[in-house]
Amino acid sequence: MIFGQFGAKAEAGADYVIILGAQWKTTGPSYVLQKRLDKAIEYLNANPETKVIVSGGQGYNEPVSEAEGMKGYLADAGIDPERILAEDASTNTTQNLIYSGELLNKSEDSVVVVTNNFHMFRALAIAKKQGYLHVEGLSSGTFPLTVPNNLLREAFGIVKDFMANNL
């Protein structure tokens, strides 16, 4: 299941991109978040009419909310701040997609979810469960040596979300 979405590629012209949050450090985005942001920037540069939702709250070990950090990162990369919406209350993938869904029309808008390859299957399954009718993924990579650990962690995440009826 996880490998089925490992290389997800989105069609051009989506109404929205949602970038799922990950840790923001005092030095900037974590490696996995930077991969997500850089992949989203590629898509946004190629699709100048697409808006972006940065999604993630502030954890106890983060200097700012993930959304605030991501918004600044995108603006520094040349993405017009007028295109960037921030959802800064979520603490997990399900909340990312619930709260981001309040900023758009889930039944009408086309949405591209940007997350790392190992996380894409679960993210899309949660989005569909939350009522996103026109959703697809855009996978970013990750550091190759971390793939086995990330796959194991993700397998547990799938079981947890299945048991919680999030998938």
Side-chain angles (χ1 to χ4, degrees), residues 16-18 20 53 55 87 93-113 123-136:
Y16 290 90
V17 163
I18 297 174
L20 301 182
I53 299 171
S55 184
E87 177 288 297
T93 303
T94 301
Q95 289 179 1
N96 286 152
L97 292 162
I98 290 171
Y99 301 155
S100 293
E102 296 171 358
L103 302 175
L104 52 83
N105 185 328
K106 295 186 291 187
S107 62
E108 293 181 16
D109 291 327
S110 57
V111 177
V112 171
V113 174
L124 288 178
I126 291 169
K128 290 172 186 171
K129 179 77 172 191
Q130 289 303 318
Y132 288 78
L133 296 185
H134 310 285
V135 64
E136 57 187 329

Side-chain angles (χ1 to χ4, degrees), residues 1 5 13 30 39 46 58 68 72 75-76 79-81 91 98 101-102 121 128 133 138 141 149 152 154 156 160 165:
M1 294 182 299
Q5 294 295 333
S30 62
K39 182 59 79 170
Q58 183 174 359
E68 182 181 341
D76 289 348
I79 304 300
D80 183 352
T91 60
I98 290 171
E102 296 171 358
F121 169 79
K128 290 172 186 171
L133 296 185
L138 180 60
N149 181 59
L152 181 62
E154 196 61 21
F156 283 111
K160 173 196 68 88
N165 201 29

Side-chain angles (χ1 to χ4, degrees), residues 13-101:
D15 296 313
Y16 290 90
V17 163
I18 297 174
I19 308 171
L20 301 182
Q23 186 178 25
W24 192 270
K25 300 178 176 190
T26 56
T27 57
S30 62
Y31 180 81
V32 294
L33 184 54
Q34 184 175 352
K35 296 295 274 183
R36 295 174 190 186
L37 288 162
D38 292 344
K39 182 59 79 170
I41 290 166
E42 289 176 23
Y43 187 91
L44 293 166
N45 283 337
N47 297 277
E49 300 300 313
T50 301
K51 294 180 180 146
V52 58
I53 299 171
V54 290
S55 184
Q58 183 174 359
Y60 73 92
N61 61 346
E62 295 175 307
V64 297
S65 73
E66 294 163 4
E68 182 181 341
M70 289 190 283
K71 186 173 183 175
Y73 187 95
L74 294 176
D76 289 348
I79 304 300
D80 183 352
E82 296 291 318
R83 294 172 67 191
I84 307 170
L85 304 171
E87 177 288 297
D88 64 0
S90 59
T91 60
N92 59 49
T93 303
T94 301
Q95 289 179 1
N96 286 152
L97 292 162
I98 290 171
Y99 301 155
S100 293

